[in-house]
Amino acid sequence: MAVSGDTMRRVVRQSKFRHVFGQAVKNDQCYDDIRVSRVTWDSSFCAVNPRFVAIIVDASGGGAFLVLPLHKTGRIDKSYPTVCGHTGPVLDIDWCPHNDQVIASGSEDCTVMVWQIPENGLTLSLTEPVVVLEGHSKRVGIVAWHPTARNVLLSAGCDNAIIIWNVGTGEALINLDDMHVDVIYNVSWNRNGSLICTASKDKKVRIIDPRKQEIVAEKEKTHEGARPMRAIFLADGNIFTTGFSRMSERQLALWNPKNMEEPIALHEMDTSNGVLLPFYDPDTNIIYLCGKGDSSIRYFEITDESPYVHYLNTFSSKEPQRGMGFMPKRGLDVNKCEIARFFKLHERKCEPIIMTVPRKSDLFQDDLYPDTAGPEAALEAEEWFEGKNADPLLISLKHGYIPGKNRDLKVVKKNILDNKPAANKKSDLINAPKKAADASDPQNEAKLDEILRELKSIKDTITNQDERISKLEQQMAKIAD
């Protein structure tokens, strides 16, 4: 059922989002003089949260990304520190939804690294990640944190494998290495993180239960064209895809995973050749489509009424976009009725674009801001791996969002001998070896406790000394004044 754009526009329906309009910020509120990465890879190259904007940049002889506090607008000095521990170009970055100072990166060097960013941003370049996750045999193009379980991270590589890690222990606990026969274009978690969906170069969309390691549903030739597709889960469990027709027209489609035979809706868009990156807001059910190389953002509302995918509007500008960051809801200005904020990458700068719903009143508009996913994890990693599910823990934005204190990411590597073999592959599960002899005798544990206690006491001493030094410096400054 192909519906032309005109038919979609002609139906005037009641929607509070019909008048959403986008506006780029003034020049002095952009981030300027940034060498945005030129690597040929279709990820968004930018990740944002209420504290920081991170941008993958060109780096000679390695891979790097910038992390800027949101207020650090204007020209960014060439000597500004970067996160630069990878030995090959960085292909994808993703902020942890449960800690605004933790970010994961995937690289051509076949590794995933997880980084802890200091509270006020970087003063020196960061070369040491909190943990390096090694398990892929080819470059890693996708990293995606679990939406509700703490420290659970998914990565997908050009080895056509998906690995799910417990970042808190540095272990690969699930390895889906026999489900994809070709390059994986993207991976999306569902709302509670019990399922993932993937789009692949073989034109299939697969819905996978990662813990059972089973393909629950799949659709062949989701879009007939040969160019890259995308597939994302919506809050109601349906799947939204973008791709190309056989005639190379860009398409978007809506699918019900319980019946993938025919799409709920399929719309043709235009004949541009850039991949359409979908950004989805589950609170308003709006999807924003940003084409790589386009100079516009088109947005649609998804509803239960035909034609199900309703065109709202297009934000147009002169410059093409190299990538795009999308702010989580808790980072928006509710007093200005802001319902989305994008960070558009140009060749040499990053430009925020603000989407608002015009309202006459200054009061909090609760119909625009239902409770949204907050920064607290609903589950611990172990609970999720054991089979538990939980929806995101919601918060109200009525009084705005005040970022709390983030706890440091601690990685406790497990004693290898204590443990079951890493990365349950299906074959391992069938003939799992008997558990290795328990190597942790009480003596070792006591010794470890002692070392940990000593470490803690040294750290406490350093903290106290730091406070003392800063007090003395303040006193000196007062005397000098």
Side-chain angles (χ1 to χ4, degrees):
M1 177 193 82
V3 179
S4 75
D6 294 340
T7 325
M8 292 166 71
R9 288 185 188 85
R10 227 177 304 150
V11 186
V12 176
R13 29 171 226 106
Q14 284 301 309
S15 166
K16 54 186 170 246
F17 303 117
R18 266 191 33 228
H19 303 292
V20 170
F21 77 101
Q23 203 165 16
V25 301
K26 295 189 173 70
N27 265 345
D28 61 351
Q29 293 173 288
C30 294
Y31 306 85
D32 257 320
D33 224 9
I34 292 167
R35 290 176 306 166
V36 174
S37 173
R38 287 196 295 268
V39 70
T40 48
W41 186 253
D42 282 325
S43 76
S44 58
F45 287 2
C46 180
V48 288
N49 69 23
R51 286 172 187 263
F52 300 108
V53 52
I55 300 161
I56 303 176
V57 291
D58 263 345
S60 48
F65 56 96
L66 271 176
V67 174
L68 304 170
L70 287 186
H71 59 78
K72 174 104 182 94
T73 51
R75 191 177 161 277
I76 305 300
D77 198 274
K78 289 205 171 22
S79 63
Y80 195 88
T82 58
V83 180
C84 52
H86 283 288
T87 56
V90 175
L91 301 177
D92 197 20
I93 47 178
D94 194 29
W95 285 107
C96 173
H98 309 122
N99 188 331
D100 287 342
Q101 288 165 240
V102 170
I103 187 167
S105 56
S107 160
E108 270 189 26
D109 66 13
C110 306
T111 69
V112 174
M113 293 185 178
V114 179
W115 309 85
Q116 173 103 27
I117 306 299
E119 194 169 355
N120 300 315
L122 298 176
T123 48
L124 297 167
S125 282
L126 194 55
T127 55
E128 288 299 314
V130 181
V131 65
V132 182
L133 305 172
E134 294 175 299
H136 287 285
S137 57
K138 288 192 178 164
R139 61 188 186 158
V140 182
I142 297 165
V143 285
W145 291 94
H146 191 286
T148 63
R150 191 188 319 280
N151 290 345
V152 175
L153 177 68
L154 174 152
S155 62
C158 290
D159 50 8
N160 307 336
I162 292 173
I163 300 179
I164 301 179
W165 309 85
N166 180 346
V167 174
T169 60
E171 293 174 291
L173 290 185
I174 295 169
N175 190 338
L176 310 172
D177 60 354
D178 56 356
M179 292 188 175
H180 295 84
V181 294
D182 215 329
V183 175
I184 300 165
Y185 286 138
N186 87 299
V187 182
S188 164
W189 292 97
N190 69 348
R191 179 95 167 139
N192 70 0
S194 58
L195 298 171
I196 55 176
C197 72
T198 67
S200 168
K201 195 173 179 182
D202 62 8
K203 299 185 189 173
K204 278 189 187 179
V205 164
R206 295 168 175 82
I207 299 165
I208 297 166
D209 181 327
R211 289 167 299 188
K212 288 188 180 151
Q213 309 197 16
E214 286 172 3
I215 295 174
V216 180
E218 62 184 357
K219 171 67 184 166
E220 293 199 29
K221 292 196 175 162
T222 316
H223 296 275
E224 304 256 349
R227 291 190 54 73
M229 302 190 307
R230 287 288 183 276
I232 58 169
F233 264 113
L234 305 185
D236 62 3
N238 284 343
I239 284 175
F240 180 89
T241 61
T242 65
F244 292 79
S245 71
R246 201 179 287 139
M247 308 301 292
S248 291
E249 286 182 299
R250 293 200 289 195
Q251 295 178 319
L252 54 88
L254 189 62
W255 306 84
N256 175 354
K258 295 186 171 61
N259 176 14
M260 299 281 277
E261 283 300 301
E262 289 295 318
I264 300 169
L266 174 69
H267 300 308
E268 316 258 297
M269 304 248 301
D270 56 22
T271 50
S272 294
N273 60 4
V275 180
L276 283 169
L277 304 178
F279 295 92
Y280 171 60
D281 175 9
D283 304 338
T284 56
N285 249 342
I286 296 179
I287 287 183
Y288 302 85
L289 295 183
C290 307
K292 266 212 154 177
D294 289 10
S295 49
S296 62
I297 301 172
R298 291 185 182 84
Y299 34 110
F300 301 82
E301 186 177 1
I302 312 286
T303 72
D304 299 337
E305 301 159 28
S306 176
Y308 308 107
V309 181
H310 307 269
Y311 171 81
L312 288 171
N313 211 337
T314 299
F315 166 81
S316 296
S317 57
K318 293 189 183 72
E319 296 288 322
Q321 54 228 14
R322 297 278 295 277
M324 198 67 86
F326 185 51
M327 176 67 81
K329 208 50 163 295
R330 57 197 171 87
L332 302 182
D333 187 343
V334 295
N335 300 319
K336 296 200 172 113
C337 294
E338 181 184 10
I339 62 161
R341 192 186 311 164
F342 288 92
F343 287 70
K344 171 180 169 179
L345 300 187
H346 301 239
E347 259 180 56
R348 302 281 308 189
K349 76 169 180 181
C350 171
E351 172 187 47
I353 293 164
I354 288 169
M355 302 278 183
T356 44
V357 176
R359 289 281 165 97
K360 290 192 175 76
S361 162
D362 287 342
L363 297 173
F364 177 71
Q365 308 290 313
D366 51 9
D367 62 324
L368 297 182
Y369 301 105
D371 287 357
T372 191
E376 274 305 308
L379 291 172
E380 295 302 324
E382 291 71 19
E383 295 179 293
W384 184 79
F385 284 111
E386 283 162 10
K388 280 193 185 161
N389 292 322
D391 285 335
L393 297 177
L394 305 182
I395 56 169
S396 164
L397 295 178
K398 183 153 191 174
H399 304 293
Y401 167 70
I402 294 103
K405 197 102 175 101
N406 286 303
R407 51 176 168 178
D408 283 1
L409 171 62
K410 297 244 185 326
V411 177
V412 181
K413 291 275 174 85
K414 296 230 173 145
N415 182 335
I416 307 292
L417 295 174
D418 268 359
N419 236 324
K420 55 180 178 298
N424 293 327
K425 295 187 186 172
K426 265 208 158 154
S427 56
D428 296 347
L429 292 177
I430 296 158
N431 46 25
K434 293 190 175 62
K435 195 174 174 201
D438 194 347
S440 63
D441 64 30
Q443 258 181 328
N444 279 0
E445 280 191 12
K447 186 83 181 137
L448 190 62
D449 279 352
E450 192 183 323
I451 293 168
L452 285 170
R453 271 201 302 276
E454 193 171 338
L455 260 176
K456 187 178 181 316
S457 111
I458 293 169
K459 278 185 180 166
D460 290 346
T461 309
I462 292 169
T463 311
N464 291 337
Q465 298 292 11
D466 273 354
E467 285 170 5
R468 179 88 185 114
I469 289 167
S470 76
K471 273 185 189 154
L472 290 171
E473 281 173 343
Q474 282 166 3
Q475 285 172 6
M476 275 172 68
K478 275 184 189 159
I479 294 165
D481 288 348

